[in-house]
Amino acid sequence: MRIVYNPYTTLLQGIEQDRQALNTAMSQVSTGQKFNSIGADPQAVAGVIENNFEAANLDRYTQSVSSLQSQFQAAGSALDSVTQALTTTIGLGVQGANGTLNQNQRDAVAAQVSQIEQQVLGYANSRYQGTYLFAGTATTTQPYVQDSAPSSGIQYVGNTETNTVEIGDAQSVQQNLPGSTIFNASGADVFKGFNDLITTLQSGDTAGISNATSELQAAFSNVGLQRTFYSSTLQNLNTASYTLSQEQTNLTVQQNNLLAADPATAITNMTQDQVALDAALAAAGKVDQNSLLNYLK
Amino acid sequence: MGGLTGSLEIAMQSLLAQQGALEVTSNNISNAHTPGYSRQTPVLVEDPSINEGSLVFGEGVSLQQIKSVRDNVLQLQLNQETGTQSQVNAYLGGMNQVATVFNETQGAGLQNVISQFFNSFQQLSTNPTDATLRQAVLTAGQNLATAFNQASASLGQIRTGLDQSVVQDVAQVNQLTSQIAALNPQIAEAQGIGQSANSLIDQRNDLISQLSGLVNTSVTDAGNGYVTVSTADGAPLVVGNQSFALTAQLDTQTGTEHVFSQGTPSYPGAPGTDITASIQSGDLGGLIQARDQGVASAQTNLDNLTAGIISSVNAQQARGYDLSGKAGAAFFTGSSSSNIAVANNFLSSQIAASSDGTVGSNGNALALANIQNDPIVNGQNPGDFYSNFVAGIGNQVSTATSQQTAVGLVMTQLQNQQTNISGVSLDEEAANLELYQNAYNASAQVVAAINTLTQTTINMATGA
């Protein structure tokens, strides 16, 4: 068989392949990624993109959880203050029903109760980041206003709607309780209790004072009951936050499996490719350029 | 019997023949690395003998012809494979550019803006009246629109680049076909008067090979030294001494350059037939495939994704209420990736987060956020559609890369085969050089010997 001696084509192809392999290995070492183009491993790229979407999903749930945690802490804190105020007021009611107090003293107690009522009114109108916490979904409207129409003298002008926020795939929590559920429950109306207590203290109606105190005790119980919504949901949010953090970690591991280059392997490959390239270049330098022409005399 | 004079003539004939053979060897050595050169061999033939009585005398040697060594079937295979290689290279070049636009492994692409856009609605759902969160939705929408516009513009630039290359290729095809058409009669003329047309045929073969690298061609031997060259579907490129130029014309429907044949009466549909779709090989074939399939498909998918997002976001907006209690206005304008934009003068207060008209309601903000989980594009959610779309481009690149490697190996094998048949071996030429040199020397010795004998004969006559 006739063979034409032409080593350069093969050598050049070899050098080209070695350089390509070395470039890939160097890229893996320098970027820490197995591949840097979508054509290198399309299946893995699809996985990487899906993971990125999922990571963004987890991120949004995490942000929502974080935002809700702050909001629930603010609401819980306001209700804690309300229960403290009610406890104080109930004590004052018991004191006012005591027959040993004269009217002047009852008037002084009434004035004190009135001050507390204003504080509670402030808590009922609590705001978080510019929105009213107990207004239902009418969050830009102050929910409790002074109004002579109701017997309590304070009108609820929020609504009875609630919002829901997603904190995971197919997992959501109720974001709020309307103020009417907390402060205006039937038979446990906070402001009616305050108003009745003040009125009866001022009129010296000890039986009425006792009744008003009982109303406030019922309101206290209801506020405490509604307070558990915030504490239990906050607990759920804390659990969700931990779960989301775990999922983020798992996702990072998955992403690394898909994309991250193993540094030891990458460096070993780079060294091997460098040796192969050096060998190919050395071989090219030592190509025998002789032919029969060199030996004919 | 020719006697001394006859012997001298035989020796002289041999000197000429060996000289010619040496010339062929010298030419081979000179062209050892000339692209397209096929080695030549001197065809030495024994001259017809003459009979004198019962004796038969040989009449020496003649250089009958100088023959080029080439394998036409192999050349045909090489031309076809050259076309395939050029097609794969051009296609891969285009698709690699497309892949760069959506290279999510390097942080390019649209995943981030899509996620950020829908996530901004989720954030808004935690506080629907918050001006900062509303502005964040608007900004995320603008970022999404800009990213889609840029991706579309990048695809457009790639398409324009491929289009320009199509025009350049067509010009190159025309240059090559005119050169082939000019060589045809020269070869015919040389062969007609019995001259060697080897170098002209080498030139023509080289031009045909270059042409195969640009467009799929069919070459037929028309006899008398002529070849006819046409595209694979029969559009004539060279007939006789005439070349038929292809033209690149802007197609108003697609906005891309289409290739038209000039045509001849014998070519159906000629003249002026659009042969763009039938060009499937060569650089031109690869460019057209990348432009009309790869880039076009990416553009269509991108537009489908955009249209899905625009229509679903706007529809969901319309189901909700903005801060003033009005039904939500369209958030996006446009219908494709090139023209998607946040509606002109759209205010953050117009984001319809509320599902019941109360300002603090977040039901519609949640619904807007959840569009990312809805099957809004070809039965898939935007994330799945996008990841499949990008992986699809990756698969096209990956397949073409594998094909490029495979074709490269086949080409190397064919080129090695061709080199072994038509390439110049310096060892072989050195041996031939020695052979012909010796033969020349020997013939010269014969001439010298006959000269001596003739001198002796003359001396005999003159008594010297």
Side-chain angles (χ1 to χ4, degrees), chain B residues 97-119:
Chain B
Q97 291 180 59
V98 175
T100 308
V101 178
F102 302 101
N103 193 359
E104 292 284 344
T105 68
Q106 299 271 295
L110 304 172
Q111 179 273 322
N112 199 31
V113 289
I114 294 172
S115 287
Q116 282 184 352
F117 174 63
F118 288 114
N119 289 359

Side-chain angles (χ1 to χ4, degrees), chain B residues 368-383:
Chain B
L368 283 159
N370 281 329
I371 287 173
Q372 65 183 311
N373 301 321
D374 295 341
I376 61 168
V377 201
N378 295 353
Q380 293 174 290
N381 68 45

Side-chain angles (χ1 to χ4, degrees), chain A residues 38-57:
Chain A
I38 61 170
D41 189 345
Q43 205 179 350
V45 167
V48 166
I49 297 172
E50 280 165 15
N51 279 348
N52 283 339
F53 272 114
E54 186 54 31
N57 248 350

Side-chain angles (χ1 to χ4, degrees), chain A residues 50 53-62 64-65 165-173 240 243-244 247 251, chain B residues 119 122 369-370 372-373 381:
Chain A
E50 280 165 15
F53 272 114
E54 186 54 31
N57 248 350
L58 294 177
D59 203 33
R60 74 174 166 128
Y61 293 142
T62 304
S64 292
V65 165
V165 175
E166 291 184 353
I167 56 167
D169 292 336
Q171 196 185 351
S172 54
V173 293
T243 308
L244 287 168
E247 285 180 22
L251 206 58
Chain B
N119 289 359
Q122 164 85 17
N370 281 329
Q372 65 183 311
N373 301 321
N381 68 45

Side-chain angles (χ1 to χ4, degrees), chain B residues 56-408:
Chain B
V56 179
F57 289 97
E59 286 297 306
V61 66
S62 288
L63 178 59
Q64 190 187 49
Q65 64 166 316
I66 299 166
K67 196 172 137 189
S68 274
V69 182
R70 56 173 76 90
D71 183 331
N72 289 333
V73 175
L74 186 62
Q75 183 61 48
L76 196 66
Q77 278 183 300
L78 256 170
N79 287 348
Q80 283 176 349
E81 215 56 41
T82 301
T84 306
Q85 190 178 43
S86 301
Q87 178 263 326
V88 173
N89 288 345
Y91 175 71
L92 188 57
M95 290 312 294
N96 271 331
Q97 291 180 59
V98 175
T100 308
V101 178
F102 302 101
N103 193 359
E104 292 284 344
T105 68
Q106 299 271 295
L110 304 172
Q111 179 273 322
N112 199 31
V113 289
I114 294 172
S115 287
Q116 282 184 352
F117 174 63
F118 288 114
N119 289 359
S120 68
F121 283 114
Q122 164 85 17
Q123 277 308 102
L124 181 62
S125 76
T126 63
N127 192 351
T129 57
D130 187 281
T132 310
L133 294 178
R134 283 184 168 268
Q135 187 55 45
V137 171
L138 209 54
T139 305
Q142 283 158 348
N143 288 345
L144 179 132
T146 304
F148 274 67
N149 295 157
Q150 283 173 347
S152 178
S154 297
L155 290 178
Q157 282 164 5
I158 294 167
R159 194 179 56 209
T160 304
L162 292 168
D163 242 9
Q164 286 169 351
S165 298
V166 166
V167 175
Q168 286 166 2
D169 272 9
V170 166
Q172 254 183 297
V173 166
N174 292 340
Q175 196 178 8
L176 290 170
T177 52
S178 67
Q179 286 175 291
I180 294 167
L183 280 171
N184 259 349
Q186 292 177 44
I187 292 167
E189 191 183 338
Q191 287 180 344
I193 58 173
Q195 282 184 354
S196 167
N198 287 335
S199 63
L200 293 173
I201 292 172
D202 279 348
Q203 276 182 48
R204 188 173 66 186
N205 283 347
D206 190 41
L207 292 171
I208 290 171
S209 177
Q210 288 182 49
L211 187 64
S212 302
L214 290 171
V215 64
N216 39 341
T217 52
S218 170
V219 181
T220 51
D221 188 347
N224 304 323
Y226 283 91
V227 290
T228 298
V229 184
S230 57
T231 60
D233 71 334
L237 295 172
V238 178
V239 179
N241 61 358
Q242 197 180 353
S243 66
F244 295 85
L246 299 178
T247 52
Q249 293 173 29
L250 191 68
D251 183 81
T252 49
Q253 275 192 328
T254 60
T256 55
E257 295 286 346
H258 277 214
V259 182
F260 287 79
S261 67
Q262 198 177 102
T264 65
S266 62
Y267 172 58
T273 304
D274 186 344
I275 60 167
T276 313
S278 67
I279 300 174
Q280 290 171 349
S281 176
D283 195 68
L284 208 45
L287 293 172
I288 290 168
Q289 190 190 355
R291 184 192 68 185
D292 294 351
Q293 292 174 32
V295 178
S297 163
Q299 185 72 63
T300 303
N301 281 324
L302 184 62
D303 285 343
N304 286 343
L305 177 60
T306 315
I309 291 174
I310 292 172
S311 64
S312 51
V313 168
N314 285 349
Q316 194 59 49
Q317 264 282 114
R319 290 185 200 109
Y321 301 89
D322 65 17
L323 273 184
S324 59
K326 290 181 189 162
F331 186 91
F332 287 121
T333 58
S335 57
S336 68
S337 55
S338 63
N339 61 12
I340 180 176
V342 173
N344 205 18
N345 298 325
F346 190 91
L347 303 172
S348 65
S349 60
Q350 290 178 279
I351 296 163
S354 170
S355 53
D356 58 12
T358 55
V359 291
S361 162
N362 71 349
N364 208 49
L366 275 181
L368 283 159
N370 281 329
I371 287 173
Q372 65 183 311
N373 301 321
D374 295 341
I376 61 168
V377 201
N378 295 353
Q380 293 174 290
N381 68 45
D384 286 348
F385 179 85
Y386 179 69
S387 58
N388 287 334
F389 156 47
V390 174
I393 295 169
N395 273 325
Q396 290 172 53
V397 171
S398 175
T399 305
T401 305
S402 302
Q403 206 183 348
Q404 187 185 45
T405 308
V407 174

